[in-house]
Amino acid sequence: MPELPEVETTRRGLEPLLIGRTIAAVSVHNRALRWPVPYGLAHTLPGQMVQAIERRSKYLLLRCAAGTLLVHLGMTGHLRVVPAAEPLRKHDHIELLLDDGHTLRFNDSRRFGAMLWTADEPLAHPLLRELGPEPFAAAFNAANLHRRAKGRRVTVKPFLMDARTVVGIGNIYASEALFRAGIDPRRPAGQIGAARYARLVTAVRAVLAEAIAAGGTTIRDFADSSGQPGYFRISLRVYDRAGEPCVACGTLIHLVRLGQRSTYFCPRCQR
């Protein structure tokens, strides 16, 4: 599933291609995404100019004068801008024809993504309003993490992946950040002190910043808006490395399941 770095990479790739462009027409080839594509989209969007492209958690927000298009990539979704005459690919479900002869296409083989419209403030949308802080925001800090974790028995990795704790951190980057912070992912969140949470905040930001700079992580399906894969995979220290030696101490990386997700860690470096 695309995580925050992949979505941010997509946002940055789309900005120079979409900002200031007017949507001339909309073609919906398949409405059956995670939530049905609104029937009125083909009537609402034409004539709207894309004023800004923002990101909230793993959602892309394409702001126009009349409202905002909310896009979620789901597990396999991606956006690309191509000449309008280019033939459709399998699983191209939605097209936004632009005024410069290009089209923005939403492709999603598993159809867990979404494209929705709101005329209201998008941050107040039901999908967004209950989300926790962004990982680079001041509200994501050790004191808040420690306070939120107090008395919690849930293990720290699912706690970190909870979007009410902090947004945008999925399985890959949670494993990597916990390794850098030296925290065992099996440890209950409520048994971690503020000082260790401070290290975790620093690790989360470092891992995400490096992944964004590298263009995201390619495991199976992610490609950025130009169709190029992310390259952070070569920098992964524990994720998907079960049975391989730890890059720090040489101990074999362990694999367990937490919250029904594969979890990789070094039993020596992470306590």
Side-chain angles (χ1 to χ4, degrees):
M1 178 181 292
E3 299 182 25
L4 185 149
E6 289 76 36
V7 179
E8 178 64 18
T9 296
T10 298
R11 187 194 70 80
R12 295 182 183 190
L14 291 175
E15 266 193 330
L17 304 176
L18 296 186
I19 298 297
R21 297 263 66 92
T22 297
I23 299 168
V26 176
S27 296
V28 179
H29 306 295
N30 188 346
R31 297 185 184 277
L33 301 183
R34 183 176 183 181
W35 299 286
V37 179
Y39 278 99
L41 204 61
H43 301 289
T44 303
L45 276 179
Q48 293 293 315
M49 185 180 74
V50 180
Q51 299 177 337
I53 305 177
E54 302 169 2
R55 180 192 54 76
R56 177 69 172 111
S57 182
K58 300 176 186 179
Y59 290 87
L60 289 171
L61 283 59
L62 277 65
R63 289 189 181 260
C64 305
T68 303
L69 190 67
L70 276 62
V71 181
H72 195 287
L73 300 179
M75 298 183 70
T76 57
H78 63 271
L79 295 162
R80 70 188 191 281
V81 177
V82 298
E86 182 173 305
L88 289 171
R89 297 181 187 176
K90 187 178 181 180
H91 307 303
D92 278 346
H93 301 311
I94 305 171
E95 294 184 274
L96 305 185
L97 180 64
L98 306 174
D99 60 354
D100 64 351
H102 288 78
T103 185
L104 173 66
R105 289 180 179 166
F106 179 70
N107 184 288
D108 186 3
S109 60
R110 300 188 68 178
R111 291 186 287 130
F112 287 156
M115 188 171 286
L116 303 170
W117 174 262
T118 178
D120 301 319
E121 168 52 49
L123 299 182
H125 190 279
L127 292 172
L128 304 183
R129 66 188 177 203
E130 301 297 331
L131 293 174
E134 292 284 333
F136 295 104
F140 178 57
N141 57 59
N144 284 342
L145 279 179
H146 188 246
R147 181 171 56 253
R148 183 174 179 83
K150 187 175 181 180
R152 300 283 299 277
R153 294 183 179 181
V154 63
T155 54
V156 66
K157 181 168 172 273
F159 172 73
L160 185 63
M161 292 173 61
D162 186 341
R164 293 166 296 183
T165 301
V166 59
V167 300
I169 302 176
N171 202 33
I172 297 172
Y173 300 114
S175 291
E176 292 296 307
L178 287 166
F179 173 75
R180 294 196 188 191
I183 298 174
D184 189 323
R186 301 169 298 177
R187 183 176 291 277
Q191 295 181 12
I192 297 172
R196 302 193 80 193
Y197 272 124
R199 292 201 297 271
L200 182 57
V201 168
T202 299
V204 163
R205 289 173 173 162
V207 167
L208 293 179
E210 291 172 22
I212 291 169
T217 300
T218 294
I219 297 298
R220 292 188 182 87
D221 299 293
F222 174 74
D224 69 14
S225 57
S226 65
Q228 298 301 311
Y231 295 103
F232 189 68
R233 197 191 192 303
I234 59 174
S235 300
L236 296 176
R237 301 180 186 182
V238 290
Y239 186 85
D240 205 26
R241 296 190 64 243
E244 299 180 24
C246 172
V247 296
C249 73
T251 301
L252 298 184
I253 298 298
H254 284 204
L255 168 63
V256 296
R257 294 191 72 82
L258 294 175
Q260 300 183 344
R261 303 299 298 273
S262 296
T263 300
Y264 303 85
F265 68 101
C266 173
R268 184 175 180 181
C269 293
Q270 295 173 252
R271 300 289 183 178

